[in-house]
Amino acid sequence: MHRPVVVPPLRTTLPARYYTDADHFRREVDHFFFTKWICAGRADQIPGAGDYFLREVLGESLIVVRNAADSVSAMFNVCRHRGTRICEASCGTFQGSIQCSYHAWTYDLNGRLIGAPHMDDIAGFDKRNFPLKPVGCEVWDGHIFINVASPAAPLHAQLGPVMDRFRPWRMEELRLVHRTVYDVKANWKLIVQNYNECLHCPVLHPLLNQMHHYLGASNAPSERTYCGGTMGFKEGVETLSRDGKLRRKYLPGLGPEEKALVSYFSIYPNLLLTLHPDYMVTVTLWPKAPDRTELICEWHFHPEEIARPGFEFQDAIDFWEVTNREDWHVSELSQAGISSRAYEPGPYSSREQLLWDFDQVVRQELDERT
Amino acid sequence: MHRPVVVPPLRTTLPARYYTDADHFRREVDHFFFTKWICAGRADQIPGAGDYFLREVLGESLIVVRNAADSVSAMFNVCRHRGTRICEASCGTFQGSIQCSYHAWTYDLNGRLIGAPHMDDIAGFDKRNFPLKPVGCEVWDGHIFINVASPAAPLHAQLGPVMDRFRPWRMEELRLVHRTVYDVKANWKLIVQNYNECLHCPVLHPLLNQMHHYLGASNAPSERTYCGGTMGFKEGVETLSRDGKLRRKYLPGLGPEEKALVSYFSIYPNLLLTLHPDYMVTVTLWPKAPDRTELICEWHFHPEEIARPGFEFQDAIDFWEVTNREDWHVSELSQAGISSRAYEPGPYSSREQLLWDFDQVVRQELDERT
Amino acid sequence: MHRPVVVPPLRTTLPARYYTDADHFRREVDHFFFTKWICAGRADQIPGAGDYFLREVLGESLIVVRNAADSVSAMFNVCRHRGTRICEASCGTFQGSIQCSYHAWTYDLNGRLIGAPHMDDIAGFDKRNFPLKPVGCEVWDGHIFINVASPAAPLHAQLGPVMDRFRPWRMEELRLVHRTVYDVKANWKLIVQNYNECLHCPVLHPLLNQMHHYLGASNAPSERTYCGGTMGFKEGVETLSRDGKLRRKYLPGLGPEEKALVSYFSIYPNLLLTLHPDYMVTVTLWPKAPDRTELICEWHFHPEEIARPGFEFQDAIDFWEVTNREDWHVSELSQAGISSRAYEPGPYSSREQLLWDFDQVVRQELDERT
């Protein structure tokens, strides 16, 4: 009996509205950035009690502060009196309390209101009812995650098994050495998609393509909250640097296998985590508009290396500056083309499996079929 | 019998939409700026017949012109032929008539069409039907008020008793000496509210706080169209200047009581009138967007002082430049915080009565309950 | 018997929404710029096979390319793989094919997909289904017209008899010598209207008014797709230049009648064609927003003149730079005035017949009564 050949439908990219529509964008970022845990930065940026940094999430200014030696918390940067933004400097140190510069309402480092001039004679006023509004805050291996949802499920309920995956790299020990902020004219998802395939490496990345074989990725099974994989080095390459040479010791927890590869993981929605044998790069994504995303790229090294005389790191900065700019530029070209009335979803190759997986997560999270 | 303690509800600030919502903004400015009398400037700016200045109200360009020795009128800056904006220079002098530069349609200083080339052969065309569209215009003690509504009730029907309150200052005699224009990223009502309380003075205004006791205001009963009050000086202070010293004679009409205080009145919607023993400051508010207002601040002095050799005024400019910039900056911080999803109306203290009064006027005028 | 005098209603300008409303703008440009033939440029700009230029139409990037010695084609600048904008440089030469810089999808000069790496193993994928999306393209006397509609009627169905009108000028022989791009804060139709009457010449154009008598136009009957007419010179004037003097030979095909006049034709929607005895000026209109239009003005001369030692052309550039800037500025004033709430349609004179004709075409095309 003859059995017909069944041709499955082509797996195609998302419709244009996912990248260009203002209403879709609001719905998407409301879901991914205001109900999920997002990566806000690193705990080593605020080592002492009172140290803080501000993080802006789509116009919301949030304070991330170390309120005790072993504890970090986060709260909205909005005074409960007349709504004034309390804190202006993007980072700094509070001297024991947080005071609004307008009428001197004062909060402790946990956000509790402890001073409100001329409110004592107001019947029904109770300081306990007017704390700075809290934001969920947890630390995973040195990465500070925050969650605006109230109440928020614990971080491990979102991240799951990926939380244990990178133990050998001892990420919590690493220290920030360099930061570059990029303003990219592309939707945040195009940055995630660009990160998750190396099919473009031979055409776009002459330097990176000397380091990995572009078809050499070994992908982990995609999960609802992340995707990623590893890539080994080409013969003679030791790490990702200008020339592939290693200028620092291997991170102390790595075995032979981990020393021979780079891990590339997208922790949805906003952390791109790249682990090398001798350093870590994090990129956090901050959507500003359907067609605009701010990217904060940070390079982290081991403190023993940083302390070593003659510590070198510029090779790692240079490598990723070159590669990043190639990636962001082509992502901007994608944004421009997808905005055309001529755009229609195009077919993925078999080398773009992780992108398809990510697209389906976006669809499912937003409960969209098309 | 036990009588329960009844706690009145807290008096709180307005909901966020009053400061951030584009539709609310349009409705609010349509009501306050396009159906009410607003202060456009000062009569001494256009002393001679034909002298004019332009005033822009939310994109509308209006011509305010002296059409006779004792008469000022206002009209839309829109030619009745093809709609061209006739007048470009922000102030100047018309030579007897107003001519459009496109096809030479010509109007007299009252806006009547007096010339329209090649229209004579058009059946049904009558010059009398095509005047520049008129705008209500009245002068109160030297302040020019305009009203786009047609027909407009007389100015005194809006201003009421406040029109007589400042007779001793003889405001009509004062002359403009200095102007500063500020572009402030805050809703216009935040400027009014900031003006109407001194609870913030100790924290925000080190200089001003040396001049007044911040709890020393004596407020007039609030009315539907204005609110305000007076503040006496601290010991040894004579006027608001860099050092509190008087460098000009007292205004000639003042008695001992008026020499010892400053009057602060908000004439809704757009005039903040500050009367000192020896000079006047006016701030007019020009909303540009929910979160943006242009402020025109002007310093006015008595002509006899201006004419005096060695006339000094920089002390008064400096005092208010410092204080203004502190006020505008904190108003911008309020705008930023109120725009947060964390903002909710906060409780007023007993020192913020005039703000509550103003808020209720806004609500009532817009017929809003919440 | 008494017969009443019947006064016809005044013929007035269009309502404000035609110039200011964002929805109307979208509907209007969708109709005129995305279903009609529009002028994209000149064939002499891309003389060799592979030569191309990009043309942006309201955010759409289109590639216009010479795909063979005697053939020009146009296509959307959007890769069919992941939607990337393929081509960035505004003009240049393709080396036989068009390749996307992201994943190397490659197209021939007709837009056919000829290379798609790692797609061979995708069941159901067929290169023939993924050409660059085509755009209609025809050349009239050297002017390249494009049409995004699919399928598009032939160009002659739109342009009609105007295609033969300018044969004596042999426009296809002329070559581009100078280009100025203007960014004008006015609706595109105000530019068309300004072009179609000389009633404004005595007031606005001191220089141009020395060349023509402003009432001396001889208009052709207006058609659905164009309007225009001719103007003879004043005594002693030979062409439109700084001083009215001719510095080049007459265009070779002209008879005595054509040597004594200038033709001014608006080829709807976007070509203003001005033919002088010795050169051609084209202005193409590129709407950007209801109140903003980019204008590309080009000066074209005969190649024999261009090749002549001592070839002069600056007089023609100067003449039109002066006149253009006067026209664009007053068009911006019209835009500003029409945006006022005081604007209402004003009466046309008998010298503005072509504007009324154009307005009725706009109304009819959009099926609007008011």
Side-chain angles (χ1 to χ4, degrees):
Chain A
M1 202 176 80
H2 176 73
R3 295 196 38 201
V5 177
V6 176
V7 177
L10 291 171
R11 292 183 157 187
T12 59
T13 58
L14 290 169
R17 71 170 187 282
Y18 281 80
Y19 301 98
T20 61
D21 183 76
D23 289 334
H24 179 92
F25 175 74
R26 261 188 299 272
R27 210 157 68 80
E28 194 174 274
V29 294
D30 273 353
H31 184 80
F32 281 102
F33 286 78
F34 287 106
T35 75
K36 305 280 185 190
W37 290 94
I38 57 179
C39 182
R42 295 277 300 169
D44 65 287
Q45 294 177 248
I46 45 175
D51 289 349
Y52 77 90
F53 62 85
L54 300 184
R55 184 59 67 216
E56 190 170 318
V57 188
L58 280 146
E60 293 294 344
S61 178
L62 306 175
I63 301 171
V64 180
V65 60
R66 185 170 297 276
N67 53 5
D70 62 349
S71 173
V72 173
S73 68
M75 54 204 76
F76 280 94
N77 187 7
V78 179
C79 183
R80 296 299 302 277
H81 177 213
R82 295 211 339 235
T84 308
R85 180 170 289 184
I86 293 183
C87 187
E88 291 184 80
S90 64
C91 61
T93 301
F94 296 122
Q95 301 305 322
S97 65
I98 304 173
Q99 187 178 69
C100 181
S101 66
Y102 205 166
H103 305 89
W105 280 39
T106 306
Y107 307 84
D108 73 14
L109 295 180
N110 291 301
R112 282 185 291 258
L113 181 61
I114 55 176
H118 292 280
M119 291 302 294
D120 293 339
D121 55 345
I122 300 296
F125 177 77
D126 184 337
K127 284 194 188 74
R128 289 170 297 184
N129 295 335
F130 296 94
L132 292 180
K133 292 204 173 169
V135 170
C137 189
E138 291 195 35
V139 181
W140 161 53
D141 287 8
H143 303 290
I144 300 172
F145 278 74
I146 58 177
N147 192 328
V148 170
S150 174
L155 178 61
H156 70 75
Q158 178 175 321
L159 294 193
V162 84
M163 292 186 84
D164 295 322
R165 184 180 184 106
F166 308 111
R167 289 304 310 137
W169 282 265
R170 301 181 192 165
M171 297 188 291
E172 68 282 5
E173 296 182 2
L174 305 182
R175 294 292 172 265
L176 176 67
V177 168
H178 185 77
R179 175 189 295 138
T180 301
V181 179
Y182 305 93
D183 190 355
V184 182
K185 291 284 291 172
N187 186 273
W188 69 281
K189 299 189 302 300
L190 292 175
I191 306 299
V192 176
Q193 286 156 348
N194 168 274
Y195 183 75
N196 280 313
E197 48 93 356
C198 204
L199 178 61
H200 67 264
C201 295
V203 192
L204 195 67
H205 298 309
L207 180 58
L208 176 59
N209 206 46
Q210 295 171 29
M211 309 296 164
H212 295 307
H213 191 287
Y214 79 103
L215 299 178
S218 170
N219 290 340
S222 291
E223 297 290 338
R224 180 92 172 207
T225 58
Y226 64 89
C227 72
T230 61
M231 296 190 79
F233 296 117
K234 283 185 175 173
E235 178 80 20
V237 173
E238 298 167 315
T239 191
L240 299 187
S241 63
R242 266 278 172 206
D243 53 8
K245 297 298 169 210
L246 194 72
R247 288 175 177 76
R248 292 153 296 272
K249 285 194 181 166
Y250 288 111
L251 295 176
L254 302 187
E257 194 183 344
E258 289 103 6
K259 290 176 179 169
L261 52 74
V262 177
S263 291
Y264 296 92
F265 276 77
S266 304
I267 318 289
Y268 305 150
N270 85 320
L271 174 61
L272 307 181
L273 179 62
T274 308
L275 290 164
H276 312 70
D278 55 334
Y279 68 100
M280 171 174 77
V281 170
T282 55
V283 176
T284 51
L285 283 60
W286 305 99
K288 299 293 181 187
D291 63 352
R292 205 180 134 227
T293 309
E294 186 176 276
L295 305 182
I296 302 178
C297 181
E298 296 179 335
W299 287 255
H300 314 263
F301 295 82
H302 197 277
E304 288 179 13
E305 290 301 307
I306 296 171
R308 199 183 298 280
F311 166 62
E312 287 187 65
F313 61 91
Q314 196 60 42
D315 60 304
I317 313 300
D318 290 350
F319 179 88
W320 279 111
E321 285 280 11
V322 166
T323 304
N324 282 344
R325 288 179 197 280
E326 290 163 349
D327 279 330
W328 311 157
H329 180 65
V330 84
S331 297
E332 291 181 336
L333 294 177
S334 289
Q335 182 70 34
I338 292 169
S339 304
S340 166
R341 66 182 66 202
Y343 170 78
E344 57 184 77
Y348 280 129
S349 73
S350 55
R351 314 309 305 176
E352 297 164 294
Q353 177 63 41
L354 296 189
L355 287 68
W356 168 257
D357 295 340
F358 173 61
D359 291 355
Q360 303 329 301
V361 167
V362 172
R363 279 185 155 126
Q364 288 158 18
E365 289 280 345
L366 299 179
D367 208 16
E368 299 223 6
R369 296 272 179 134
T370 59
Chain B
M1 200 176 80
H2 176 73
R3 296 201 31 206
V5 178
V6 176
V7 177
L10 292 170
R11 292 182 158 188
T12 59
T13 57
L14 291 170
R17 73 171 186 282
Y18 282 79
Y19 301 98
T20 60
D21 183 75
D23 288 335
H24 179 92
F25 174 75
R26 260 188 299 272
R27 210 157 68 80
E28 194 175 273
V29 296
D30 273 355
H31 183 81
F32 281 101
F33 285 79
F34 287 107
T35 74
K36 305 279 184 190
W37 290 93
I38 58 179
C39 182
R42 295 277 300 168
D44 64 287
Q45 294 177 248
I46 45 174
D51 289 349
Y52 77 91
F53 62 84
L54 300 184
R55 184 59 67 213
E56 190 170 317
V57 188
L58 281 146
E60 292 294 344
S61 178
L62 307 175
I63 301 171
V64 180
V65 59
R66 186 169 295 275
N67 53 5
D70 62 350
S71 173
V72 172
S73 68
M75 54 205 76
F76 280 93
N77 187 7
V78 179
C79 183
R80 296 298 303 277
H81 176 213
R82 296 218 328 241
T84 308
R85 180 170 289 184
I86 292 183
C87 186
E88 290 185 81
S90 63
C91 61
T93 301
F94 295 123
Q95 301 306 321
S97 65
I98 304 172
Q99 187 177 69
C100 180
S101 66
Y102 206 167
H103 305 90
W105 280 39
T106 306
Y107 306 84
D108 72 15
L109 295 181
N110 291 300
R112 281 185 291 257
L113 181 61
I114 55 177
H118 293 280
M119 292 300 295
D120 294 339
D121 55 344
I122 301 296
F125 177 76
D126 183 337
K127 284 195 188 72
R128 290 171 297 185
N129 296 335
F130 295 94
L132 292 181
K133 291 203 174 171
V135 170
C137 189
E138 291 195 35
V139 180
W140 162 52
D141 287 7
H143 303 289
I144 300 173
F145 278 74
I146 57 176
N147 193 328
V148 170
S150 175
L155 179 60
H156 70 76
Q158 179 175 320
L159 295 193
V162 85
M163 293 186 84
D164 296 322
R165 184 179 184 106
F166 308 111
R167 288 305 309 136
W169 282 265
R170 300 182 192 166
M171 297 188 291
E172 68 280 6
E173 295 181 2
L174 306 182
R175 295 290 172 266
L176 176 68
V177 167
H178 185 76
R179 175 189 295 140
T180 301
V181 179
Y182 306 92
D183 190 355
V184 182
K185 290 285 290 172
N187 185 274
W188 69 280
K189 298 188 302 301
L190 292 175
I191 306 299
V192 175
Q193 286 156 349
N194 169 274
Y195 183 75
N196 280 314
E197 48 92 358
C198 204
L199 177 62
H200 67 265
C201 294
V203 192
L204 195 67
H205 299 309
L207 180 58
L208 176 59
N209 206 47
Q210 294 172 30
M211 309 295 165
H212 296 307
H213 192 287
Y214 79 103
L215 299 177
S218 170
N219 290 340
S222 290
E223 297 289 337
R224 180 91 172 209
T225 58
Y226 64 89
C227 71
T230 61
M231 296 191 80
F233 296 117
K234 282 184 175 172
E235 179 78 22
V237 173
E238 298 167 316
T239 191
L240 299 187
S241 63
R242 265 278 173 205
D243 52 8
K245 296 299 169 211
L246 194 72
R247 288 175 177 76
R248 292 154 295 273
K249 285 193 181 167
Y250 288 109
L251 295 177
L254 301 188
E257 195 183 345
E258 289 104 6
K259 289 176 181 170
L261 52 74
V262 178
S263 292
Y264 296 91
F265 276 77
S266 304
I267 317 289
Y268 305 150
N270 85 321
L271 173 60
L272 308 181
L273 179 62
T274 308
L275 290 163
H276 311 71
D278 54 334
Y279 68 100
M280 171 173 78
V281 169
T282 54
V283 175
T284 51
L285 283 61
W286 304 99
K288 299 292 181 188
D291 63 352
R292 207 180 133 226
T293 309
E294 187 176 276
L295 304 182
I296 302 177
C297 182
E298 296 179 335
W299 287 256
H300 314 264
F301 295 83
H302 197 276
E304 288 179 12
E305 290 301 306
I306 295 171
R308 199 181 298 279
F311 166 61
E312 287 186 65
F313 62 92
Q314 195 60 42
D315 59 306
I317 313 300
D318 290 349
F319 179 88
W320 279 111
E321 285 280 12
V322 166
T323 305
N324 283 344
R325 288 181 196 280
E326 290 162 349
D327 279 330
W328 310 158
H329 181 64
V330 85
S331 297
E332 291 180 336
L333 293 177
S334 290
Q335 182 70 36
I338 291 170
S339 304
S340 167
R341 65 181 67 201
Y343 170 78
E344 57 185 77
Y348 280 129
S349 73
S350 56
R351 315 308 305 175
E352 295 164 293
Q353 178 64 41
L354 297 189
L355 287 68
W356 168 257
D357 295 340
F358 172 61
D359 291 353
Q360 302 330 302
V361 167
V362 172
R363 278 186 156 125
Q364 288 159 20
E365 289 280 346
L366 299 180
D367 208 15
E368 297 224 7
R369 294 270 179 137
T370 58
Chain C
M1 200 176 79
H2 176 73
R3 299 205 22 210
V5 178
V6 176
V7 178
L10 291 171
R11 292 183 158 188
T12 60
T13 59
L14 290 169
R17 73 171 185 279
Y18 283 79
Y19 301 98
T20 62
D21 183 75
D23 288 335
H24 180 91
F25 176 73
R26 261 187 299 273
R27 209 158 68 81
E28 193 174 274
V29 294
D30 273 354
H31 184 80
F32 281 102
F33 285 78
F34 288 107
T35 74
K36 305 278 185 191
W37 290 94
I38 57 179
C39 181
R42 295 277 298 169
D44 63 289
Q45 295 177 248
I46 45 175
D51 290 349
Y52 77 91
F53 62 85
L54 301 184
R55 183 60 67 214
E56 190 170 316
V57 188
L58 280 145
E60 294 293 345
S61 178
L62 307 175
I63 301 171
V64 180
V65 59
R66 185 169 297 276
N67 52 6
D70 61 350
S71 173
V72 173
S73 67
M75 54 205 76
F76 279 94
N77 186 7
V78 179
C79 183
R80 296 298 303 276
H81 176 213
R82 299 225 318 250
T84 309
R85 180 171 290 184
I86 293 183
C87 186
E88 290 185 80
S90 63
C91 61
T93 301
F94 295 122
Q95 300 306 321
S97 64
I98 304 173
Q99 188 178 69
C100 181
S101 66
Y102 205 168
H103 305 90
W105 280 38
T106 306
Y107 306 84
D108 72 14
L109 296 181
N110 291 300
R112 282 185 291 257
L113 181 61
I114 55 177
H118 293 280
M119 292 300 296
D120 293 340
D121 55 345
I122 301 295
F125 177 77
D126 184 336
K127 284 194 189 72
R128 290 171 297 185
N129 295 335
F130 295 94
L132 292 180
K133 291 202 174 170
V135 170
C137 189
E138 292 194 35
V139 180
W140 162 52
D141 287 8
H143 303 290
I144 300 172
F145 278 72
I146 58 176
N147 193 328
V148 171
S150 175
L155 178 61
H156 69 76
Q158 178 175 319
L159 295 194
V162 85
M163 293 187 83
D164 294 323
R165 182 178 184 106
F166 308 111
R167 289 304 311 137
W169 282 264
R170 300 182 193 166
M171 297 189 290
E172 69 281 4
E173 295 182 3
L174 305 183
R175 294 292 173 265
L176 177 67
V177 167
H178 185 77
R179 174 190 296 139
T180 301
V181 179
Y182 305 92
D183 190 355
V184 182
K185 291 284 291 173
N187 185 275
W188 69 280
K189 299 188 302 300
L190 291 175
I191 307 298
V192 175
Q193 287 157 348
N194 168 275
Y195 183 75
N196 280 313
E197 48 92 357
C198 205
L199 177 62
H200 67 264
C201 294
V203 191
L204 195 67
H205 297 309
L207 180 58
L208 177 59
N209 206 46
Q210 295 171 30
M211 308 295 164
H212 295 308
H213 191 287
Y214 78 103
L215 300 178
S218 170
N219 291 340
S222 291
E223 297 289 338
R224 180 93 172 207
T225 58
Y226 64 88
C227 71
T230 61
M231 296 191 79
F233 295 117
K234 283 185 175 173
E235 178 80 22
V237 173
E238 297 167 316
T239 191
L240 298 188
S241 62
R242 267 278 173 205
D243 52 9
K245 297 298 167 210
L246 193 72
R247 287 174 178 78
R248 292 152 295 272
K249 285 194 181 168
Y250 288 110
L251 295 177
L254 301 187
E257 194 183 345
E258 289 104 6
K259 289 176 180 170
L261 52 75
V262 178
S263 293
Y264 296 92
F265 275 77
S266 304
I267 316 289
Y268 305 150
N270 85 321
L271 173 60
L272 308 180
L273 179 62
T274 308
L275 290 163
H276 311 70
D278 55 334
Y279 69 100
M280 169 173 79
V281 170
T282 55
V283 175
T284 51
L285 283 61
W286 303 99
K288 299 292 181 188
D291 62 353
R292 206 179 133 227
T293 310
E294 188 176 275
L295 305 182
I296 302 177
C297 181
E298 296 179 335
W299 286 256
H300 313 263
F301 295 82
H302 197 277
E304 287 179 12
E305 290 301 307
I306 295 171
R308 198 182 299 279
F311 166 62
E312 286 186 66
F313 62 91
Q314 196 59 43
D315 59 305
I317 313 299
D318 290 350
F319 179 87
W320 279 110
E321 285 280 11
V322 166
T323 304
N324 282 344
R325 289 180 195 279
E326 291 162 349
D327 279 329
W328 310 158
H329 181 65
V330 84
S331 297
E332 291 180 337
L333 293 177
S334 290
Q335 183 69 36
I338 291 170
S339 302
S340 166
R341 65 182 66 202
Y343 170 79
E344 57 185 77
Y348 280 130
S349 72
S350 56
R351 316 306 306 174
E352 296 164 293
Q353 177 64 40
L354 296 190
L355 287 68
W356 168 258
D357 295 341
F358 172 61
D359 291 353
Q360 301 331 300
V361 167
V362 172
R363 280 185 153 124
Q364 289 158 18
E365 289 281 346
L366 298 179
D367 208 15
E368 299 225 5
R369 294 270 177 136
T370 58

